[in-house]
Amino acid sequence: MNAESQLPLPFESAPSYGREDFLVGKPNAGAFAYIERHPRWLAPAAVLTGPEGSGKSHLAAIFARGAGAATMRADHLAFEAVPRLAQSGALVLEDADRFPPDERALFHLLNLARETGLFLVITARAAPENWGIATPDLLSRLRAQPRLTLEQPDEALLGALFVKLFADRQIDVEAPVIAYAMTRIERSYRAVLGLVAALDQLSLVRKRPITRALVAECLGDAPGEEDDDPEGS
């Protein structure tokens, strides 16, 4: 492949997990407020659930930074490490439904949390009932923990998410273009994440700014009046 036919590489944007970068709206305000109340929680542990891209890792990172918590993938929890982890003060277990933890270890950790004062956040896309848990006592214990739910975005949060994701990639996009895009995709975090990444790549390939016409092309819409937009919006 010669240099002229090579596809340009999109700008790789690292997620920004600062508290000031978390977009708070009606779909996530309750979960955000509860995390912010730490250490004045109702119970030592909290189960944080939400769809892909909804900000679970971001909100868990805010908790981890404020509480000095370690973060690990849920299936990395080892039974022999539980007593040490229970003494650590705070812990985040990520993706418990995608990477199921050792059930004996998690049950032991939840039992020790109240005794040791450990604050624990467990993230997952779905509620514990849908993790395939085989230990009834563990499922009962998880159900008893406060559940923080991140819902799919409303219109206000959807627009703010578009703006943030483009800004993270250092791309300036006109407000009418974002409004146009919002009317043509499903209202979900996953759809926004996918469209922004695809537009970034297509903009580089076409060597054009992101306009309504480019959004239409990216979504496979039939050519229309957007293609004749002289202002590029």
Side-chain angles (χ1 to χ4, degrees), residues 51-102:
E52 181 181 348
S54 59
K56 298 185 297 295
S57 291
H58 191 162
L59 195 52
I62 292 172
F63 162 75
R65 186 173 295 111
T71 298
M72 68 169 61
R73 213 170 74 175
D75 61 342
H76 292 171
L77 178 65
F79 184 83
E80 60 273 13
V82 166
R84 173 179 56 82
L85 291 171
Q87 296 290 339
S88 65
L91 178 66
V92 174
L93 293 179
E94 289 263 43
D95 296 321
D97 56 339
R98 291 179 60 202
F99 306 106
D102 177 278

Side-chain angles (χ1 to χ4, degrees), residues 36-52:
E36 286 283 278
R37 285 203 299 269
H38 174 267
R40 300 181 304 278
W41 283 6
L42 301 175
V47 178
L48 175 60
T49 64
E52 181 181 348

Side-chain angles (χ1 to χ4, degrees), residues 2 8 11 14 55 60 62 71 77 98 100 105 120 137 149 161 170 186 209 217 224:
N2 59 42
F11 173 76
I62 292 172
T71 298
L77 178 65
R98 291 179 60 202
L120 175 65
D137 286 346
T149 304
L161 183 60
Q170 301 179 8
E186 70 176 30
E217 179 181 351

Side-chain angles (χ1 to χ4, degrees), residues 177-190:
V177 177
I178 292 176
Y180 175 82
M182 286 172 60
T183 65
R184 281 158 174 79
I185 65 169
E186 70 176 30
R187 184 167 291 176
S188 72
Y189 298 100
R190 184 174 185 176

Side-chain angles (χ1 to χ4, degrees), residues 112-199:
L112 287 180
R114 191 173 296 276
E115 299 175 18
T116 63
L118 172 75
F119 287 97
L120 175 65
V121 171
I122 306 170
T123 74
R125 294 166 300 179
E129 293 84 354
N130 298 313
W131 296 0
I133 293 173
T135 308
D137 286 346
L138 173 59
L139 181 56
S140 177
R141 191 62 50 87
L142 287 167
R143 282 173 167 167
Q145 307 309 314
R147 190 172 302 178
L148 315 181
T149 304
L150 305 177
E151 305 289 352
Q152 290 289 7
D154 57 12
E155 185 172 356
L157 191 56
L158 194 73
L161 183 60
F162 264 116
V163 172
K164 180 183 185 301
L165 291 175
F166 281 128
D168 286 347
R169 292 171 177 266
Q170 301 179 8
I171 301 172
D172 292 323
V173 179
E174 298 287 341
V177 177
I178 292 176
Y180 175 82
M182 286 172 60
T183 65
R184 281 158 174 79
I185 65 169
E186 70 176 30
R187 184 167 291 176
S188 72
Y189 298 100
R190 184 174 185 176
V192 178
L193 290 166
L195 181 57
V196 168
L199 284 169

